[in-house]
Amino acid sequence: MERFLYSLLTNAASSNLGAITQQTHSLLLTTGHLIRSIRLFNTLLRSYSLGGSPQKAFSLYNQLQSLYCFHSSSSSSLQLPSFDSFSYTFLINAATHASSLPIGTQFQGRGIKAGFHSHVYVQTAALNMYAAAGVWSDALQVFDEMPDRNSVSWNVLITGLVRWGELEYARSLFDEMPEKNVVTWTGMIDGHVRIGRFGEGLSLFQRMVCCENMKPSEITILALMPAVSGLKDMRVCRLVHCYAEKRGLIAFDIRVANSVIDTYAKCGCIESASRFFEDLMERKNLVSWTTIITGLAMHGFGEEAVERFDRMEKAGWKPNRVTFLSVFNACSHGGLVDQGLKFLEKMVNEYQILPDIKHYGCLVDMLARLGRLEEAENLALGIPTEIANVVVWRTLLGACSFHDNVEMAERVTRKIMEMERGYGGDYVLMHNIFVGAGRFGDAEKFRKLMHQRNAIKLPGQSAI
DNA sequence: CTAGGGTTAG
């Protein structure tokens, strides 16, 4: 029985099935297993923590804790198992997932009282919590006071620093770390890539593979690929692709395959992206389709993108909001306005997806860039105020400038000013529109207004 | 038991 429940919970955690976890919880309560086996209790904690309901982990703890209080005050003969290192590890993890530092700190304290001051797993969980929250004073205190650290302890700190952009600090720890593993190297690559130091990210990858003889994982490739895209180097793209292929990472993880599609497209070779995409055959998933549509859109191949969308639907895939955004973008860049509007109808009516601000932005751009300004303006006016933003109106203002519609430009600028007054580019654009229309007095007014309001000018934008 | 980024407007 215990073994069965255990495997049920382990599966529930890995496949994210909150309902199973919950049902097993009730079952354990009624059968009394929960208060007899700390192992089952811990597994349940872990399931809640991983399954996105950390609050339930806390209440489960509270339930058992109050049982303890009750039993210690009465002279019951029932022997209750006590919390162990696993319990505190999972409870602190639940607090990390709930982004609740106060609760986590409490569990850390209780873990220490229970004698786990020097326990690697418990303390690493605490370290992870502080690192995830970017509270470096506490993170470093835990790290410094750990009598034994393992590679996970180091990696938690390094990857935490990386996520918060503290690359210099991460780097010094990296150099100091005795035995780096694939997670360490991946973390450092990721750290360089995410702040745009693509060349250094790539060098680290080279060092990792060639000098250190370390085997990159699928995550390493996923972390590296944006660097390849950033460098726009087809040679490197092919090299990394071949390497991933040879190491079996593409067959192993569809995410790697999808990032290869994306990177070929971003390196400027939509043909390679498309060929690789087609070669995936039946392994393609929704993200693969979305990625190739995005790539085709980037390269202005509207018709081809639409063709992929249709094929995708025929293959039985249900497009999501990202897929629709991609195809709108393709229609926008390919000048396929009426197709785009049909896709909007399909999204809302057939798939019951409400457009979000990015969808609106894309569609407004699509209409506006072909000069269908009234339709674009009406669409923009129909955006629910909760999600409206200045970017959409700015797009429209750009189109008004391009198509010399001064009256609409004035209306649009008024809208923009209701939302944001401190962006210099808007004043510059409106000024230039007035100049183009020969309305020099109005242009001058805008120039003055910009200085009055001390609006920030953009780099690369003329300062009137 | 503890660590690591698939696609997303202008």
Side-chain angles (χ1 to χ4, degrees):
Chain A
M1 180 62 173
E2 188 168 326
R3 180 179 290 272
F4 165 71
L5 293 169
Y6 185 82
S7 71
L8 199 61
L9 281 171
T10 314
N11 285 332
S14 61
S15 51
N16 225 350
L17 296 173
I20 290 191
T21 309
Q22 190 102 61
Q23 282 166 22
T24 316
H25 184 168
S26 322
L27 187 64
L28 291 172
L29 267 179
T30 50
T31 58
H33 278 86
L34 198 49
I35 56 167
R36 281 201 293 274
S37 162
I38 196 66
R39 206 170 120 90
L40 281 172
F41 171 83
N42 288 340
T43 313
L44 198 51
L45 280 184
R46 179 173 180 268
S47 303
Y48 279 139
S49 165
L50 294 174
S53 355
Q55 302 298 338
K56 289 178 182 156
F58 304 146
S59 59
L60 177 61
Y61 168 85
N62 289 332
Q63 280 171 32
L64 204 59
Q65 181 62 29
S66 46
L67 266 180
Y68 282 143
C69 296
F70 176 73
H71 275 280
S72 59
S73 61
S74 72
S75 50
S76 168
S77 58
L78 176 61
Q79 196 63 45
L80 289 172
S82 47
F83 303 118
D84 61 8
S85 63
F86 290 71
S87 320
Y88 292 105
T89 303
F90 298 146
L91 284 164
I92 293 169
N93 283 341
T96 307
H97 290 133
S99 309
S100 178
L101 223 48
I103 294 179
T105 307
Q106 243 185 47
F107 284 127
Q108 185 198 8
R110 292 180 188 187
I112 290 171
K113 270 191 200 146
F116 300 113
H117 179 76
S118 309
H119 196 283
V120 193
Y121 285 78
V122 175
Q123 293 311 318
T124 300
L127 171 59
N128 183 38
M129 176 179 70
Y130 294 120
V135 184
W136 302 118
S137 51
D138 289 330
L140 290 170
Q141 196 190 336
V142 174
F143 186 74
D144 288 337
E145 289 176 1
M146 284 174 85
D148 15 72
R149 307 164 181 145
N150 61 17
S151 59
V152 181
S153 321
W154 285 88
N155 288 339
V156 160
L157 190 52
I158 290 173
T159 56
L161 286 161
V162 157
R163 260 199 299 279
W164 285 87
E166 300 281 345
L167 190 60
E168 296 310 312
Y169 209 146
R171 179 100 212 192
S172 65
L173 280 164
F174 176 79
D175 293 334
E176 219 186 298
M177 185 169 170
E179 280 174 38
K180 313 180 221 319
N181 65 16
V182 57
V183 178
T184 326
W185 281 92
T186 302
M188 283 317 288
I189 292 170
D190 182 35
H192 284 84
V193 174
R194 69 168 64 210
I195 61 166
R197 285 158 72 163
F198 303 133
E200 285 162 272
L202 193 63
S203 315
L204 276 165
F205 179 74
Q206 269 174 330
R207 247 181 75 196
M208 171 186 183
V209 177
C210 304
C211 313
E212 309 292 328
N213 212 11
M214 192 77 67
K215 296 267 176 280
S217 71
E218 68 283 11
I219 312 292
T220 317
I221 307 297
L222 292 175
L224 177 69
M225 281 314 224
V228 182
S229 302
L231 294 169
K232 298 192 184 305
D233 190 330
M234 262 304 285
R235 222 190 72 246
V236 176
C237 185
R238 267 194 290 269
L239 232 55
V240 177
H241 168 198
C242 289
Y243 180 81
E245 191 92 62
K246 215 163 45 194
R247 295 262 3 254
L249 294 171
I250 288 171
F252 175 72
D253 192 333
I254 185 64
R255 296 178 303 172
V256 175
N258 292 338
S259 83
V260 170
I261 303 172
D262 185 52
T263 308
Y264 271 128
K266 286 181 178 153
C267 286
C269 191
I270 190 65
E271 292 79 11
S272 297
S274 185
R275 201 178 317 124
F276 179 78
F277 168 82
E278 299 297 345
D279 288 345
L280 285 176
M281 308 296 288
E282 298 306 308
R283 296 193 42 238
K284 296 193 270 281
N285 69 4
L286 182 61
V287 177
S288 323
W289 287 100
T290 305
T291 306
I292 194 65
I293 291 170
T294 305
L296 288 163
M298 259 173 1
H299 290 264
F301 292 115
E303 312 268 6
E304 288 80 353
V306 169
E307 186 265 334
R308 302 295 166 121
F309 189 96
D310 293 339
R311 266 175 55 203
M312 177 195 72
E313 275 191 308
K314 286 199 185 86
W317 293 99
K318 267 185 72 176
N320 63 16
R321 47 184 60 255
V322 183
T323 320
F324 275 107
L325 185 63
S326 303
V327 82
F328 290 162
N329 200 223
C331 292
S332 166
H333 289 171
L336 308 171
V337 179
D338 297 317
Q339 293 260 39
L341 293 175
K342 271 187 201 147
F343 279 120
L344 173 62
E345 204 184 301
K346 189 190 257 288
M347 177 172 91
V348 176
N349 295 334
E350 197 174 320
Y351 291 99
Q352 275 93 46
I353 299 172
L354 280 180
D356 65 29
I357 191 61
K358 291 186 183 180
H359 295 115
Y360 279 112
C362 222
L363 292 164
V364 167
D365 180 53
M366 176 182 81
L367 290 162
R369 73 165 69 205
L370 282 194
R372 290 166 68 161
L373 294 175
E374 275 75 24
E375 289 165 87
E377 189 185 24
N378 282 332
L379 190 64
L381 286 168
I383 299 174
T385 44
E386 309 88 67
I387 62 166
N389 71 15
V390 71
V391 178
V392 177
W393 291 102
R394 221 165 253 156
T395 307
L396 189 52
L397 184 60
C400 289
S401 164
F402 185 83
H403 294 285
D404 299 317
N405 189 328
V406 189
E407 287 71 30
M408 190 183 288
E410 285 183 272
R411 283 200 298 277
V412 170
T413 299
R414 232 171 283 137
K415 271 282 180 191
I416 293 175
M417 294 300 154
E418 285 170 19
M419 298 185 192
E420 190 185 325
R421 304 180 143 217
Y423 183 74
D426 297 326
Y427 298 84
V428 176
L429 195 48
M430 197 61 234
H431 169 273
N432 292 345
I433 291 168
F434 279 135
V435 168
R439 290 166 59 174
F440 300 108
D442 290 319
E444 177 61 13
K445 260 188 248 166
F446 257 82
R447 193 191 67 82
K448 278 188 178 147
L449 203 57
M450 180 174 88
H451 288 296
Q452 254 172 41
R453 292 178 179 171
N454 201 16
I456 303 145
K457 279 161 274 184
L458 265 189
Q461 194 103 39
S462 75
I464 309 192

